[in-house]
Amino acid sequence: MSESTKMTGASALVKALEASGVDVMFGIPGGAILPAYDPIFDSKIRHILVRHEQGAGHAATGYAQATGRVGVCMATSGPGATNLVTPLADAQMDSVPIVAITGQVASGAIGTDAFQEADIRGITMPVTKHSFLVTDPADIARSIAEAFHIASTGRPGAVLVDIAKDALQMQTEFNYPKSINLGGYHPRMDATPESIRDAAALIAQSKAPVLYVGGGAIKADAHKELLKLAELTGAPVVTTLMARGAFPDSHPQHLGMPGMHGTVAAVTALQKADLLITLGARFDDRVTGKLSTFAQNAKIIHADIDPAEIGKNRRADVALIGDLRLTIDALIPAIKNEFKKSQPDISAWVKQAYSWRSRFPLGYDHPTDGSVSPQYVIERIGKLSGPDAIYVAGVGQHQMWASQFVSYEKPRTWLNSGGLGTMGYAVPAAMGAKVGAPDTTVWAIDGDGCFQMTNQELVTCALNNIPIKVAVINNESLGMVRQWQTLFYNERYSNTQLHSKRIPDFAKLADAMGCVGLTCDSTDDVDKTIAKAMEINDRPVVVDFSVHKDAMVWPMVAAGTSNDEIVNARSLAPIWDSQEL
């Protein structure tokens, strides 16, 4: 059964997007994609004209992360398409559902090095979940339907649909499939009953369990089930960088974030657990540290919808392959049945884990030279804006501080580039998030380095009534790289000084882009400057916070070292020694 009507391939494309539920997309027209822009003119889909294709891709990602829906971006062939490669790789690494539509040169010119030709399907195959090349207009609607299905089901990801210009111009029958059944693509939704029973038995035997929660908990909308599971088991909970907000920071069982800049309690609990109940996490190197030394005495329950993740970095004793929300739903009654037979006493373990949390809380020093602490600025933004706001970070020191010093109580309130670590992510992603959640306060917490990569999208925001708020944490440096140069390169600051407090003047730049530009260089002015930014809701606001340039992110596990070597000071002396542990 299908709906059949004669139209151009371009009209079929737009009608297929409408049928897929698209209400907004981000893009820039150009020669090869131009036929599609004519029917867009009459469509109910809101098209937001960005200033750079990278901005379109990150905006689609921010929209998807904030809403849980598929984000859409569009670009022309050649350089337009290649400018989408970074956001596609970024979305794929963080399991974000986006569909990118690109124009391609006419089918007869493909392979001739025609003007603005690039093999974008071939280029993006390694960094997408799937890539299409469409040269027959009859395939356009079906390819769009399949792209949305692939992007949003199973483990979400990035999908590219590249369409030849002549396919957009030719006449075709519009046939949008009523259902999708792709051979070889059948994501498993339910973990097997045997694996559920095995996992429940391991949990009932464990004396030192930890719930190791990754971004999959948010992708699966499993936060309510996660809370029930945590309270049933009583186990300490850690939430990775991509999972912040999946479990409330205020909950007494929460130990914080693990990883390279995680809390001492979270890192140590993973190291010393006898069981890791791993939920939608992938044993990323930033969490495990030196893999051979990670949680050496722990058995592993690994729940993930992607079977390729099972055993990729760490062997699983029990694999739970399926949708995480359904998996936890099935696991809870199985654990209750096991607990009726014998419930382990984990009170000593919990007391120990909580003692690490109280002994080594997150904190920071105020600079002795009177300059502003960047951690304080970010902490105050979180306090004054509250847990209902959405916080979007770039990549670097400010990203880590935003993950540490803002309290996250709800899913989809913390957006960042976790896997790829893409500088320039924050402003366009915040734009997309604000489009998806127009009644929610959206802060982009950015560094002066990141901000200078994509701030042109503030023009897009100003012209399209997208009033995001941007906090530029301006330490005049590529801060995280400078921190490493301080610690590991004898303070030889090679090419990390940006001079951003002189050139450019961020407040004037914001004003020139149709935004409100504010500055703050005093601790006493932080709260009132944030309050002033919060009062402005009719246009974007940029606040240039001049902060101390030598503030560092602590705790820290240096790359390639064991999590047991976690440090909390510039001396790089490990917190733990063998006697303490």
Side-chain angles (χ1 to χ4, degrees), residues 220-286:
D221 290 320
H223 54 284
K224 293 179 181 178
E225 291 74 16
L226 172 63
L227 182 62
K228 292 177 183 177
L229 177 65
E231 293 183 342
L232 171 63
T233 63
V237 179
V238 304
T239 51
T240 68
L241 182 68
M242 295 306 299
R244 305 290 287 115
F247 191 78
D249 278 4
S250 60
H251 197 284
Q253 286 172 242
H254 194 232
L255 297 184
M257 182 178 75
M260 176 176 276
H261 294 294
T263 66
V264 173
V267 171
T268 305
L270 288 179
Q271 286 298 91
K272 299 304 166 186
D274 68 7
L275 176 66
L276 300 188
I277 307 166
T278 309
L279 306 171
R282 58 188 179 89
F283 294 91
D284 178 71
D285 62 283
R286 283 301 191 260

Side-chain angles (χ1 to χ4, degrees), residues 92-306:
Q92 181 67 11
M93 284 281 278
D94 286 343
S95 305
V96 180
I98 71 169
V99 170
I101 298 154
T102 54
Q104 183 54 274
V105 299
S107 55
I110 292 175
T112 68
D113 292 332
F115 176 67
Q116 289 193 333
E117 181 187 0
D119 178 12
I120 196 62
R121 179 175 183 249
I123 289 168
T124 59
M125 283 180 72
V127 296
T128 56
K129 190 174 178 183
H130 192 71
S131 294
F132 293 84
L133 172 60
V134 182
T135 57
D136 185 341
D139 294 335
I140 290 175
R142 175 183 53 78
S143 297
I144 291 296
E146 291 177 358
F148 276 79
H149 177 71
I150 292 168
S152 61
T153 57
R155 180 178 180 171
V159 178
L160 175 96
V161 183
D162 191 36
I163 308 175
K165 185 174 183 178
D166 55 328
L168 292 170
Q169 294 170 319
M170 292 163 60
Q171 293 287 311
T172 187
E173 296 283 339
F174 178 73
N175 290 294
Y176 188 86
K178 299 296 184 183
S179 61
I180 304 292
N181 184 17
L182 298 174
Y185 180 71
H186 300 287
R188 185 195 295 178
M189 297 299 289
D190 297 298
T192 66
E194 295 80 10
S195 64
I196 292 289
R197 287 195 297 269
D198 290 345
L202 269 186
I203 291 168
Q205 296 162 15
S206 170
K207 297 293 180 64
V210 173
L211 290 169
Y212 164 26
V213 180
I218 293 176
K219 303 299 187 300
D221 290 320
H223 54 284
K224 293 179 181 178
E225 291 74 16
L226 172 63
L227 182 62
K228 292 177 183 177
L229 177 65
E231 293 183 342
L232 171 63
T233 63
V237 179
V238 304
T239 51
T240 68
L241 182 68
M242 295 306 299
R244 305 290 287 115
F247 191 78
D249 278 4
S250 60
H251 197 284
Q253 286 172 242
H254 194 232
L255 297 184
M257 182 178 75
M260 176 176 276
H261 294 294
T263 66
V264 173
V267 171
T268 305
L270 288 179
Q271 286 298 91
K272 299 304 166 186
D274 68 7
L275 176 66
L276 300 188
I277 307 166
T278 309
L279 306 171
R282 58 188 179 89
F283 294 91
D284 178 71
D285 62 283
R286 283 301 191 260
V287 170
T288 65
K290 186 177 180 181
L291 186 60
S292 63
T293 67
F294 176 70
Q296 291 176 293
N297 299 316
K299 291 187 176 181
I300 305 295
I301 296 170
H302 195 173
D304 204 292
I305 199 165
D306 184 358

Side-chain angles (χ1 to χ4, degrees), residues 407-418:
S407 293
Y408 299 100
E409 299 295 314
K410 302 176 181 180
R412 303 192 185 280
T413 56
W414 162 246
L415 315 183
N416 79 122
S417 170

Side-chain angles (χ1 to χ4, degrees), residues 291-375:
L291 186 60
S292 63
T293 67
F294 176 70
Q296 291 176 293
N297 299 316
K299 291 187 176 181
I300 305 295
I301 296 170
H302 195 173
D304 204 292
I305 199 165
D306 184 358
E309 286 298 337
I310 306 299
K312 185 180 80 175
N313 293 328
R314 177 66 181 262
R315 188 186 73 84
D317 294 279
V318 177
L320 301 173
I321 301 172
D323 177 85
L324 189 59
R325 184 174 58 82
L326 299 178
T327 295
I328 298 175
D329 253 344
L331 192 56
I332 287 172
I335 294 170
K336 287 179 179 178
N337 286 336
E338 290 293 333
F339 281 0
K340 287 177 184 176
K341 305 172 192 173
S342 174
Q343 183 164 354
D345 180 5
I346 64 170
S347 57
W349 164 244
V350 169
K351 183 179 179 181
Q352 177 69 79
Y354 292 174
S355 75
W356 293 327
R357 183 176 61 190
S358 61
R359 285 177 64 191
F360 300 102
L362 288 171
Y364 56 90
D365 296 323
H366 287 276
T368 57
D369 63 0
S371 56
V372 180
S373 161
Q375 299 98 318

